[in-house]
Amino acid sequence: MKPVRIAVFPVGGLGTRFLPATKAMPKEMLPIVDKPLIQYAVEEARAAGIEEIIFVTGRGKTAIEDHFDYAAELEQVLSSREKNGILTELREIPGPPGSISYTRQQEPLGLGHAVWCARHLVHNEPFAVLLADDLIKSDVPCLKQMVDAYEQVGGNIVAVTEVPQEHTNRYGIVAPGARKDRLVEIKGLVEKPKPEEAPSRTAVIGRYILQPVVLDILSNQQSGAGGEIQLTDAIAKALTVIPTHGFHFEGTRFDCGDKAGHVMANIAFALEREDIGADVRQYIARLQLT
Ligand code: G1P
């Protein structure tokens, strides 16, 4: 079995749910405390052994490229002020030279289309897909948990979690088969079904390990829910040829493309910080008294 070395990050989305913040700034650069969402996702990928990172970007996303580069002027200033801690931290963000590639999705034709835009960079290998606005707080990074499971079962694996029935129309929903520990067989997959039509409440979250055949299927460019080319549909089509599992990850997922989810993630991450956790905790305790 080939190891999972490559990760695709679709970062071309317009972030309309987060306007006006995302008018001139990519939604992936929204910070949780002091770190942009995309950096959390890239760190998670690297912790899972990912060596090559592919960003599928779009217009107005150059801040992401700048973030994963050295910042000579800033570094000079930090160095002259002997701020060595943050300097080292900034220097680590880009990773090894040449480990990040960029390609553009020219039109917003859907998540499946975005992933397909990376096909020439993925070669013929299994690859991960991470959606940065799904932020997962866990002891073991979510993708690492999935890579460990992948080494047992192979095939396609998608992260899943249970959602309220009334929210099925926001997610890819799984028709589940037998479950063993954290892994559940997937018998069917449907993108954003109405609550009354959903096969279950088990929803796909933005972490995938996929076989290259999914890219071949996406080449057909068939549009699905919302008129978009859906990744969910391509994984569903691959069910007959590729064993496919849902993975019930350990951890809490925050939908950071959503304003409330973003605020909640900030609180959860802030509370755990050594530098600001105590202040934030005190503030919240005071709020509860009033
Ligand atoms: C995408 C996928 C969907 C998945 C979701 C997870 O939807 O199409 O299947 O459940 O991410 O966040 P989006 O949120 O881009 O509409």
Side-chain angles (χ1 to χ4, degrees):
M1 197 190 293
K2 284 189 185 167
V4 187
R5 294 186 318 108
I6 297 176
V8 177
F9 294 76
V11 291
L14 293 174
T16 49
R17 284 194 293 160
F18 226 108
L19 286 166
T22 48
K23 186 180 173 204
M25 182 181 86
K27 65 171 175 170
E28 296 80 11
M29 290 301 293
L30 288 168
I32 300 299
V33 185
D34 53 7
K35 197 193 283 186
L37 280 169
I38 188 66
Q39 191 182 334
Y40 284 96
V42 165
E43 285 175 0
E44 179 184 328
R46 288 190 176 133
I50 296 297
E51 295 166 7
E52 290 182 31
I53 284 167
I54 302 165
F55 286 128
V56 183
T57 69
R59 281 177 292 283
K61 298 282 182 167
T62 47
I64 297 178
E65 293 181 41
D66 291 340
H67 189 73
F68 289 92
D69 194 359
Y70 291 157
E73 208 179 350
L74 181 61
E75 286 168 17
Q76 242 171 32
V77 171
L78 292 173
S79 160
S80 68
R81 296 185 188 161
E82 293 183 15
K83 305 238 182 238
N84 294 326
I86 186 69
L87 193 57
T88 314
E89 214 180 301
L90 293 189
R91 275 260 148 179
E92 280 169 2
I93 295 173
S99 58
I100 304 184
S101 313
Y102 297 87
T103 188
R104 277 207 183 197
Q105 182 190 26
Q106 287 93 349
E107 297 175 273
L109 295 182
L111 177 61
H113 180 261
V115 170
W116 177 77
C117 285
R119 67 199 178 284
H120 296 303
L121 299 166
V122 167
H123 319 294
N124 202 24
E125 286 188 34
F127 61 100
V129 176
L130 293 94
L131 308 185
D133 47 13
D134 279 331
L135 177 60
I136 297 161
K137 190 166 174 298
S138 55
D139 293 336
V140 176
C142 182
L143 191 65
K144 168 77 174 120
Q145 297 177 39
M146 290 173 71
V147 165
D148 290 347
Y150 176 75
E151 281 162 8
Q152 312 295 317
V153 291
N156 287 336
I157 303 188
V158 300
V160 293
T161 194
E162 300 297 305
V163 297
Q165 187 83 39
E166 64 271 25
H167 291 174
T168 58
N169 56 1
R170 300 180 187 177
Y171 299 95
I173 300 290
V174 162
R179 179 164 174 181
K180 190 165 175 274
D181 302 322
R182 293 191 174 275
L183 283 165
V184 60
E185 273 172 30
I186 295 186
K187 303 273 188 203
L189 258 179
V190 43
E191 180 69 7
K192 302 197 169 84
K194 292 185 191 138
E196 60 276 19
E197 286 164 11
S200 74
R201 295 193 297 110
T202 308
V204 176
I205 297 306
R207 300 290 182 278
Y208 308 76
I209 294 176
L210 300 174
Q211 301 301 317
V213 68
V214 173
L215 296 171
D216 299 336
I217 296 170
L218 284 168
S219 302
N220 299 331
Q221 306 276 296
Q222 265 169 17
S223 49
E228 296 190 337
I229 299 170
Q230 297 291 355
L231 184 59
T232 302
D233 295 345
I235 301 169
K237 285 216 179 80
L239 286 174
T240 49
V241 284
I242 303 276
T244 303
H245 289 88
F247 180 77
H248 288 267
F249 55 92
E250 170 275 313
T252 309
R253 170 257 182 180
F254 296 93
D255 177 6
C256 293
D258 173 73
K259 293 173 191 181
H262 182 258
V263 172
M264 289 181 225
N266 266 293
I267 295 171
F269 279 77
L271 285 174
E272 288 209 339
R273 291 273 298 244
E274 268 183 29
D275 50 351
I276 58 169
D279 285 353
V280 175
R281 192 175 306 276
Q282 249 182 31
Y283 175 67
I284 291 171
R286 248 189 292 144
L287 285 182
Q288 282 163 355
L289 291 175
T290 55

